[in-house]
Amino acid sequence: MSNQQLIKSAHIWALALILAGGVWAIAGKAGIRLQGQNSNQNQNQNGNQNQNGNTNSNTSGNTNSSRSSNANRSNRNSRNDNAAGEQAGMGNMTSQDHNFLMEAAMGGLMEVELGRLATQQGSSDAVKQFGQRMVDDHSRANTELMTLASSKGMTLPTTLDDKHRDHVTKLSGMTGAEFDRAYSREMLSDHNKDVAAFEKQSNRGSDADLKAFATRTLPTLQEHLQMARALPGNEGRGNSNRNDNNNMNNNRSNRNGNNNGNGNGNSNRP
């Protein structure tokens, strides 16, 4: 091979090496760009996922917050509606009428529960029969009173308060003759108070419907009182109660007479 041919071959190899190096360099840059693009894409995707996660979290939080707010609003509205209903019913009712209504409702509930106890734990037929009569009569009266209160936008209690519950709990621990005596005394005391309260409401009540209810129910309560006086252990107690009331009334009359006498005596003084 001549020198010229060698020189040409060297030039060709050198050119090939240069071209190969250029191609390799271009391919390397292209690979770096691809990796950079993939990295940016992954970062963008992760960013979008985080944004979506935050959006979903915020949406879920807002939804739960809205639900809680709506539930709280609903509960508040329900309580306000109940309070407004009772106030609306009380608008045409004096405090005496309202107190009578609540006390009659609570007393009626207690009479029913004590009556059931009497039918189960009483030992005498008189106590058992009286207890059943209390369940029947006071259940009817309670239903009538609830209907009346509902017509006036009021809600009556359906369970006993602590004071009345204590009476039931105390008697529930007794049986036989002990129960009969305690129940008989309780019924005599309760019905003396009931008759007095219903007589007062019948005569001096302001609400016409409540006054009519008291007037209708009073004869039944008076009959209950007569029956309670005949229960075991109460014989003579009813008379003593009447005598006590008469003595109290006489004492009041005497005090009034003394006051009038003193007043007249003073007026005659110079």
Side-chain angles (χ1 to χ4, degrees):
M1 182 178 291
S2 65
N3 290 333
Q4 291 181 348
Q5 288 176 341
L6 289 173
I7 292 171
K8 286 181 181 180
S9 296
H11 286 166
I12 290 171
W13 280 108
L15 182 59
L17 290 172
I18 291 171
L19 290 175
V23 171
W24 181 83
I26 292 170
K29 289 180 180 180
I32 292 172
R33 283 179 188 156
L34 288 174
Q35 289 177 354
Q37 289 177 355
N38 291 334
S39 176
N40 290 335
Q41 287 177 356
N42 291 333
Q43 289 176 355
N44 290 335
Q45 287 175 354
N46 292 334
N48 290 334
Q49 289 176 354
N50 291 333
Q51 288 178 354
N52 290 335
N54 292 333
T55 301
N56 292 334
S57 177
N58 291 334
T59 303
S60 175
N62 292 335
T63 302
N64 292 333
S65 177
S66 298
R67 288 175 181 167
S68 298
S69 298
N70 291 334
N72 290 334
R73 262 191 224 104
S74 176
N75 291 334
R76 284 197 299 269
N77 291 337
S78 177
R79 287 194 295 269
N80 292 335
D81 289 343
N82 290 336
E86 184 168 349
Q87 289 174 359
M90 289 182 61
N92 299 324
M93 199 175 279
T94 64
S95 59
Q96 176 186 323
D97 289 342
H98 180 262
N99 290 338
F100 170 80
L101 179 61
M102 292 300 175
E103 289 172 5
M106 191 62 65
L109 290 174
M110 188 181 73
E111 295 294 351
V112 171
E113 290 210 27
L114 289 178
R116 290 197 182 103
L117 274 180
T119 62
Q120 298 166 3
Q121 298 178 209
S123 61
S124 70
D125 290 338
V127 167
K128 290 178 178 290
Q129 291 170 8
F130 184 88
Q132 187 59 53
R133 179 73 182 273
M134 294 303 100
V135 173
D136 296 340
D137 289 353
H138 283 282
S139 293
R140 281 193 296 269
N142 292 347
T143 301
E144 184 178 354
L145 195 61
M146 280 186 151
T147 302
L148 188 154
S150 178
S151 69
K152 297 180 180 297
M154 298 178 65
T155 302
L156 295 182
T158 56
T159 57
L160 294 177
D161 59 14
D162 292 339
K163 175 184 174 182
H164 291 82
R165 175 58 61 188
D166 286 343
H167 288 279
V168 177
T169 302
K170 181 180 178 181
L171 285 174
S172 65
M174 303 178 185
T175 56
E178 182 188 18
F179 176 88
D180 288 357
R181 287 191 297 271
Y183 178 72
S184 297
R185 287 195 298 269
E186 182 79 27
M187 290 299 97
L188 182 59
S189 175
D190 285 351
H191 283 88
N192 270 314
K193 295 174 184 176
D194 291 345
V195 167
F198 275 71
E199 282 178 343
K200 179 180 177 181
Q201 186 65 28
S202 177
N203 293 326
R204 289 187 275 171
S206 299
D207 184 270
D209 296 329
L210 200 55
K211 189 174 181 180
F213 167 79
T215 302
R216 284 193 307 273
T217 310
L218 182 57
T220 302
L221 294 176
Q222 289 171 333
E223 184 181 359
H224 291 172
L225 179 57
Q226 293 298 326
M227 294 172 64
R229 287 176 180 147
L231 288 175
N234 284 346
E235 299 88 348
R237 285 181 179 273
N239 293 330
S240 64
N241 288 333
R242 283 199 298 272
N243 291 334
D244 290 342
N245 291 333
N246 289 334
N247 290 334
M248 291 175 61
N249 291 332
N250 290 334
N251 290 333
R252 284 196 200 98
S253 298
N254 291 333
R255 285 198 299 271
N256 291 334
N258 291 333
N259 290 335
N260 291 334
N262 292 333
N264 292 333
N266 292 334
S267 64
N268 291 331
R269 289 179 184 173

